[in-house]
Amino acid sequence: MADTIAETVDLLYTIDQENLTPDQQIALGSALANLAQAERLEQINEHLRGIHQVLNAWALKATVDGGR
């Protein structure tokens, strides 16, 4: 997903905003807002993956320690 976000950022920032109609400016603003939300969700997802790994490690350790 990160590659897609980076490609989208590159594409959005190559748009010449001076020549856009008001409707196109609104659409671009909406696209930029959606992109920011997608980037934030990707960051949250990365944090959740890290938490998941820690919890799995704890669960594995508890299983191993409990079996002794």
Side-chain angles (χ1 to χ4, degrees):
M1 179 162 178
D3 288 343
T4 304
I5 291 173
E7 291 167 1
T8 304
V9 168
D10 290 343
L11 179 63
L12 287 175
Y13 284 109
T14 60
I15 295 173
D16 181 11
Q17 297 182 29
E18 297 294 322
N19 295 319
L20 297 179
T21 67
D23 285 342
Q24 290 171 326
Q25 290 174 352
I26 291 169
L28 178 60
S30 178
L32 290 169
N34 286 330
L35 179 63
Q37 183 180 19
E39 288 176 326
R40 182 67 184 135
L41 289 173
E42 181 63 20
Q43 291 171 352
I44 291 168
N45 193 35
E46 287 297 319
H47 288 296
L48 289 174
R49 274 192 213 115
I51 292 167
H52 184 257
Q53 288 176 345
V54 169
L55 291 175
N56 277 341
W58 287 351
L60 181 61
K61 185 177 182 329
T63 300
V64 170
D65 290 347
R68 293 181 185 178

